[in-house]
């Protein structure tokens, strides 16, 4: 994806706006201190208020810097509100107008963004996203003539060219100019990654125009370019079936399932094709087609600092097609990665009830409630999904994991057990259920039952490193089967040598066995891999103490203290900082979920 990221950079910096923004920020920051970004106030009608708190005066510099900070944190709601304030104070500033436009777009305020896009045009500012937003809105209003004019060629970079030209092709299709639409895509030149998008959209436009054989020729090109893209696989299978080649269509789906884990959309497609369903839905309207290219590109660029542009693309995709399930899942996932679970829930709930992706989206909604520390809502949400389909294990595993994370081990055990009881034939894919239930039973001090679950997990998935690590560690903790336990953990490290938690386990087992010099070697490696983990720092401090490196031991304990250890561990760490380790003390194992890979 390096070339695509390069295209993003080129398309964003073509008019120098980011450089101007950076210089202005540096100047403003040298004049006053940055104010803290406020959380949402509430108006009298209980609607949230974003921007400067209602009881404070609005200042140009303060709003600008607060907006800049919110933008750096990808908090589009606050950033858009603060920049809108700055624009009200300095309405002729085109840099502020561009930032307000872009942030409104990323926040999903499409109508406001389109209006700001019109202002940019009136002020003579060339901005491909402004043309895109206005053109998209024109297509939504069925004004294809205006859209064709707005999707004009640009020199803003490969990403802009691909986006606008594919959008132009769909607008021309809306004018019943299919040949001209296909010619526009044929004339599009650029990096190699253009080809899959070009072939896919030529196939979709051809199929929408009733040219099923032409569509098949094009989608075969896209399939050869990328056999792992779900949307390409789906289109290829459907177009094959529409051409009467049902067996080949099913083989394409089988091949995907063989190479990669199955996908709900493709399972839905398989059901339709197998049933001879004549209504094989594909992207067919200009709005759906433009939504598809915006989703395809927006989802591809949603990492590595391009979140704002990605959000803008995905918000436009949803504006064009409110049934755009993939765009909703992609945007919800991005808000989730950015640590904004409330926004993620809002977007994920947009996935239509009829979508094959709906259940997976609702599971993520439940997990995002947990991220909001609303365990009761998370539990109720996931339990409702389980009640709808008790045999579907993803919701059961998710609920079990939520309960386990909150140390509700009995409830988590019961949840995993409910899942296991629904399985008619246990297979390798079910190892996680036994592993997670084993963790719960180990925490509940039901060791025989826990060991049985861990060994069942290994029977299903031999040499699974997480299971080897946890079982081996637990055996050493209890002084059982020490040779086998050490071999298990060594094997886990061999399989995952860069996993700091597993390397820490090996070091701590050496410590428990009194092999302190070997413990230090492994724990120092673990610290290199996971320098900010309080448990590993605490372990290394203990090992240093045992080999006589007392100053280094206290340094590590102090570091562990500062890394926010578990509440029940902090007093022990403070005591060691003050008094060191008693030579006769029997060390207590710190066996938290994270350290043991749970």
């Amino acid at each position: 994806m390096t070339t695509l990221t390069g295209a993003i950079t080129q398309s964003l910096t073509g008019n120098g706006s980011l450089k101007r923004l950076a210089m202005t920020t540096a100047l403003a920051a040298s004049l006053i201190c940055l104010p803290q970004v406020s959380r949402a106030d509430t108006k009298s009608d209980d609607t949230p208020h974003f921007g400067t708190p209602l009881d404070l005066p609005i200042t140009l510099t303060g709003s600008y810097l607060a907006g800049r900070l919110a933008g750096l944190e990808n908090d589009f709601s606050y950033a858009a509100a603060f920049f809108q304030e700055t624009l009200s104070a300095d309405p002729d500033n085109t840099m502020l107008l561009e930032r307000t436009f872009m942030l409104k777009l990323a926040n999903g305020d499409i109508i406001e963004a389109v209006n700001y896009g019109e202002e940019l045009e009136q002020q003579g500012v060339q901005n491909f996203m402004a043309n895109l937003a206005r053109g998209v809105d024109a297509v939504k209003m069925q004004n294809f003539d205006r859209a064709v004019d707005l999707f004009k060629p640009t020199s803003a970079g490969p990403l802009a060219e691909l986006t606008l030209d594919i959008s132009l092709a769909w607008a021309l299709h809306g004018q019943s100019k299919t040949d001209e639409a296909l010619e526009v895509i044929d004339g599009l030149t650029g990096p190699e990654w253009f080809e899959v998008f070009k072939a896919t959209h030529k196939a979709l436009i051809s199929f929408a125009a009733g040219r099923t054989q032409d569509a098949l020729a094009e989608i075969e090109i896209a399939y050869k370019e990328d056999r792992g893209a779900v949307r390409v696989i789906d289109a290829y299978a459907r177009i094959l079936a529409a051409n009467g080649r049902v067996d080949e269509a099913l083989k394409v789906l089988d091949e995907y399932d063989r190479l990669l884990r199955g996908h709900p959309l493709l399972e839905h497609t398989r059901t339709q094709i197998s049933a001879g369903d004549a209504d094989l839905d594909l992207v067919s309207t200009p709005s759906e087609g433009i939504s598809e290219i915006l989703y395809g590109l927006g989802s591809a660029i949603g990492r590595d600092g391009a979140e704002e542009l990605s959000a803008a693309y995905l918000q436009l995709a949803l504006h064009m097609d409110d049934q755009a399930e993939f765009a909703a899942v992609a945007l919800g996932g991005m808000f989730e990665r950015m640590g904004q679970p409330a926004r993620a829930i809002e977007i994920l709930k947009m996935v239509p009830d009829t979508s094959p992706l709906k259940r997976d989206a609702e599971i993520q909604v439940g997990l995002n409630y947990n991220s909001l520390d609303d365990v009761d809502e998370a539990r109720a949400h996931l339990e409702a999904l389980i009640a709808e389909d008790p045999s579907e294990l993803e919701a059961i595993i998710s609920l079990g994991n939520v309960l386990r994370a909150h140390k509700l081990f009995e409830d988590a055990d019961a949840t995993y057990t409910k899942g296991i009881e629904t399985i008619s034939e246990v297979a390798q894919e079910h190892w996680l259920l036994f592993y997670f239930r084993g963790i719960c039973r180990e925490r509940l001090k039901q060791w025989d039952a826990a060991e049985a679950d861990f060994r069942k997990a290994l029977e299903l998935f031999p040499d699974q490193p997480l299971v080897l690590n946890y079982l081996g560690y637990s055996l050493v903790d209890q002084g059982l089967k020490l040779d086998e336990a050490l071999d298990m953990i060594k094997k886990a490290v061999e399989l995952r040598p860069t996993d700091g938690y597993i390397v820490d386990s090996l070091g701590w087992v050496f410590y428990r066995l009194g092999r302190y010099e070997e413990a230090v070697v492994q724990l120092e490696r673990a610290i290199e891999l996971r320098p900010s983990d309080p448990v590993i720092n605490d372990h290394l401090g203990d090992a240093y103490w045992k080999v006589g490196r007392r100053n280094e031991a206290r340094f590590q304990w102090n570091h562990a203290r500062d890394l926010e250890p578990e509440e029940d561990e902090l007093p022990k760490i403070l005591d060691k900082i003050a008094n060191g380790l008693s030579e006769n003390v029997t060390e207590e194992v710190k066996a938290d979920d994270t350290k043991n890979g749970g």
Side-chain angles (χ1 to χ4, degrees), residues 288-310:
E288 292 171 350
I290 294 173
S291 178
E292 184 74 13
I293 186 63
L294 291 170
Y295 153 70
L297 293 172
S299 62
I301 62 177
R303 297 178 186 269
D304 302 325
E307 289 86 358
E308 181 180 298
L309 182 60
S310 174

Side-chain angles (χ1 to χ4, degrees), residues 282-524:
L282 263 181
V283 170
S284 57
T285 69
S287 289
E288 292 171 350
I290 294 173
S291 178
E292 184 74 13
I293 186 63
L294 291 170
Y295 153 70
L297 293 172
S299 62
I301 62 177
R303 297 178 186 269
D304 302 325
E307 289 86 358
E308 181 180 298
L309 182 60
S310 174
Y313 266 61
L314 295 171
Q315 295 279 18
L316 282 172
L318 288 166
H319 178 67
M320 290 300 287
D321 179 9
D322 60 8
Q323 302 293 301
E325 55 202 346
F326 275 80
V329 169
L331 184 58
M334 188 171 70
F335 278 121
E336 195 174 297
R337 291 193 302 275
M338 294 190 303
Q340 300 178 40
R343 292 292 317 256
I345 291 170
E346 172 193 340
I347 299 297
L348 288 167
K349 283 184 172 292
M350 295 175 67
V351 175
D353 290 341
T354 56
S355 167
L357 307 187
K358 182 63 174 178
R359 188 172 178 86
D360 284 353
E362 287 298 325
I363 290 171
Q364 288 306 120
V365 167
L367 294 175
N368 277 287
Y369 280 127
N370 185 56
S371 296
L372 289 168
D373 290 326
D374 191 347
V375 65
D376 291 337
E377 186 63 33
R379 183 172 189 165
H381 190 87
L382 292 168
E383 283 178 344
L385 291 174
I386 293 168
E388 289 175 8
D389 184 359
S391 66
E392 198 279 316
L393 295 177
E394 195 65 37
I396 288 174
I397 292 173
S398 297
L399 175 59
N401 290 351
V402 167
L403 296 171
R404 184 165 53 86
H406 289 274
K407 300 185 178 180
L408 300 170
F409 297 119
E410 288 187 5
D411 292 347
D413 182 327
T415 300
Y416 296 130
T417 298
K418 181 184 294 186
I420 290 169
E421 289 174 347
T422 68
I423 301 170
S424 57
E425 186 174 342
V426 176
Q428 184 183 56
E429 65 197 66
H430 301 125
W431 72 272
L432 264 175
L433 279 164
F434 290 95
Y435 171 56
F436 288 149
R437 190 174 70 172
I439 292 174
C440 295
R441 291 178 170 182
E442 183 267 333
R443 297 307 170 83
L444 292 167
K445 303 189 184 304
Q446 300 172 7
W447 174 246
D448 289 344
E451 184 179 8
D453 274 345
F454 291 138
R455 292 194 183 276
K456 181 64 177 179
L458 285 175
E459 176 189 324
L460 295 171
F461 195 156
D463 289 341
Q464 212 296 323
L466 294 177
V467 186
L468 289 170
N469 176 56
Y470 203 109
L471 176 55
Y473 189 97
S474 300
L475 288 169
V476 171
D477 178 31
Q478 298 178 81
L480 302 171
K481 306 169 187 173
L482 297 181
D483 290 340
E484 180 190 17
L486 186 56
D487 288 343
M488 284 181 176
I489 297 175
K490 285 181 176 179
K491 182 66 174 180
V493 171
E494 179 186 326
L495 293 168
R496 295 180 65 165
T498 60
D499 188 320
Y501 297 127
I502 293 180
V503 175
D504 171 60
S505 288
L506 179 58
W508 194 240
V509 166
F510 280 136
Y511 180 93
R512 295 281 292 168
L513 295 173
R515 296 161 62 173
Y516 301 122
E517 294 289 352
E518 292 170 278
V520 166
V521 171
Q522 297 301 327
L523 292 169
E524 286 179 337

Side-chain angles (χ1 to χ4, degrees), residues 21 64 101 135 222 263 587:
L21 180 59
Y64 173 80
F101 157 75
H263 191 280
E587 291 297 329

Side-chain angles (χ1 to χ4, degrees), residues 24-36:
T24 306
T25 302
L27 176 60
S30 69
L31 297 175
I32 69 169
C33 294
L34 185 66
Q36 182 178 358

